[in-house]
Amino acid sequence: MLETGEFARVIELAAAERLDRSFVSHVLQLTLLAPDLVEAILDGRQSMGVQLQALVRGLPVEWERQRELMATSC
């Protein structure tokens, strides 16, 4: 919805979906997750210590640093 231009700002998207703005902002950060990490999570191959709560709190944008952090999340 943001990509298509339907909503220009996160606050507009959050209001339309009846969600808290900060929640939407946190979830949108998941779009920056390295593709191989997304695939591992979807396949159930992530480290046991990887929790959604930790992911939405923020990860570095550098994919290599994300991999390092995910590998040590046990």
Side-chain angles (χ1 to χ4, degrees), residues 40-63:
I41 291 168
L42 293 174
D43 290 344
R45 296 181 285 113
Q46 78 280 3
S47 300
M48 293 300 290
V50 174
Q51 302 274 326
L52 177 60
Q53 201 172 35
L55 293 176
V56 297
R57 283 191 184 135
L59 285 172
V61 294
E62 300 88 5
W63 289 353

Side-chain angles (χ1 to χ4, degrees), residues 3-71:
E3 286 180 350
T4 63
E6 186 175 344
F7 301 106
R9 300 180 307 151
V10 171
I11 196 164
E12 294 169 0
L13 174 60
E17 296 297 320
R18 296 183 182 174
L19 296 169
D20 182 73
R21 182 197 53 80
S22 66
F23 173 78
V24 172
S25 294
H26 287 300
V27 171
L28 284 173
Q29 290 179 22
L30 294 175
T31 64
L32 302 175
L33 198 55
D36 57 308
L37 297 179
V38 172
E39 187 175 319
I41 291 168
L42 293 174
D43 290 344
R45 296 181 285 113
Q46 78 280 3
S47 300
M48 293 300 290
V50 174
Q51 302 274 326
L52 177 60
Q53 201 172 35
L55 293 176
V56 297
R57 283 191 184 135
L59 285 172
V61 294
E62 300 88 5
W63 289 353
E64 194 56 42
R65 183 72 180 119
Q66 292 175 7
R67 292 180 188 104
E68 291 169 5
L69 288 172
M70 296 280 275

